[in-house]
Amino acid sequence: KSGFVANAHTKRTHLSDTMYKQLLVTLALVAGASAFAPVVKPTARTSTRVSAGVEDMLGADVETAGVWDPFGYSKNADAATLKRYRCVEIKHGRIAQIATIGYIMGDVWTFPGYLSKVDNVKFADVPAGMGALTAVPLAGWAQIFLFCGLLEKKFFKQDDDAAPGDLAKFNWVRYDDAELKERKLLSEIKNGRLAMMAIMGMMVQEKVTGMTTIAQLKAGNLSPFPHIDL
């Protein structure tokens, strides 16, 4: 009888672990849904109702063969709100692209020397992946926060009269050809969406497996649930 009870407990624990890890992946997919929010394509429409032109928005249906707005963010949104959504999507896409590169580079290369001499922390002491979140001293995070704020408010500030994502006041590539410009803008939007899904997926995968992306590839671990017999 005791063996039966122990076996039942093991099965329940196994099921609980499985459901928990599947939930993490599901949450990642749901969170990534915002990566496909429609973005505005300049248009001569006078109406501020989204229903009049959501299908015409640049990148609105390139991945989904139809408008993808599961949470109804664009419902009854006016032009100003749509512009803000597009600014946010482009910004998040750019950040996610940098984050994806940084996440992978932690396993490939590190800076020489000290991250903090006061705390006696070398760059080599900072682990790859999400382990870096707790390894970086508080003063380091404060510097990162202030630096990002400076970029946001000073050097790369989004002006109200500028196109969404048009931030730099110097050395910014401009395109006179309208077709080429639209293709470049669409490429950035798609790459940003992919990066948002990628960085979320890699972080969830590390939480599930305990391994960073590069570590998983080196170990030949391509299963999202390597320790569970599904």
Side-chain angles (χ1 to χ4, degrees), residues 35-39 59 62-63 89 189-197:
F36 296 93
V39 290
V62 290
E63 292 95 355
E89 179 181 25
I189 291 168
K190 293 175 67 176
N191 290 340
R193 290 171 176 174
L194 177 61
M196 285 187 274
M197 296 293 287

Side-chain angles (χ1 to χ4, degrees), residues 32 40 63 66 95 98 116 120 127 147 169 173 190 193 195 197 210:
V40 183
E63 292 95 355
I95 294 172
I98 297 173
S116 173
N120 194 32
F147 178 70
K169 309 299 186 292
V173 178
K190 293 175 67 176
R193 290 171 176 174
M197 296 293 287

Side-chain angles (χ1 to χ4, degrees), residues 93-141:
R94 291 170 177 173
I95 294 172
Q97 290 176 75
I98 297 173
T100 300
I101 295 173
Y103 186 95
I104 294 174
M105 287 302 296
D107 273 313
V108 178
W109 183 82
T110 57
F111 287 102
Y114 283 87
L115 171 64
S116 173
K117 284 192 174 182
V118 175
D119 296 298
N120 194 32
V121 178
K122 295 182 178 180
F123 284 104
D125 298 329
V126 179
M130 292 190 293
L133 296 176
T134 56
V136 176
L138 183 60
W141 283 116

Side-chain angles (χ1 to χ4, degrees), residues 100-224:
T100 300
I101 295 173
Y103 186 95
I104 294 174
M105 287 302 296
D107 273 313
V108 178
W109 183 82
T110 57
F111 287 102
Y114 283 87
L115 171 64
S116 173
K117 284 192 174 182
V118 175
D119 296 298
N120 194 32
V121 178
K122 295 182 178 180
F123 284 104
D125 298 329
V126 179
M130 292 190 293
L133 296 176
T134 56
V136 176
L138 183 60
W141 283 116
Q143 293 176 51
I144 293 173
F145 179 81
L146 292 175
F147 178 70
C148 291
L150 181 64
L151 295 180
E152 175 84 9
K153 296 298 184 180
K154 179 66 176 178
F155 297 106
F156 297 116
K157 184 178 180 180
Q158 175 71 58
D159 294 331
D160 293 337
D161 57 346
D166 190 353
L167 308 178
K169 309 299 186 292
F170 51 87
N171 296 331
W172 202 254
V173 178
R174 307 290 177 179
Y175 298 97
D176 296 326
D177 187 300
E179 183 178 350
L180 176 62
K181 181 178 181 179
E182 180 172 313
R183 187 165 69 247
K184 293 291 186 179
L185 290 173
L186 181 59
S187 294
E188 179 181 33
I189 291 168
K190 293 175 67 176
N191 290 340
R193 290 171 176 174
L194 177 61
M196 285 187 274
M197 296 293 287
I199 188 62
M200 179 61 71
M202 289 190 294
M203 290 191 296
V204 171
Q205 188 73 356
E206 181 183 347
K207 184 65 176 178
V208 171
T209 66
M211 303 172 69
T212 61
T213 302
I214 298 298
Q216 291 178 60
L217 293 175
K218 288 182 177 179
N221 173 19
L222 303 180
S223 171

Side-chain angles (χ1 to χ4, degrees), residues 35 37-39 85-93 189 193 196:
V39 290
Y85 286 164
R86 184 178 187 184
C87 291
V88 170
E89 179 181 25
I90 291 176
K91 180 192 297 184
H92 287 179
I189 291 168
R193 290 171 176 174
M196 285 187 274

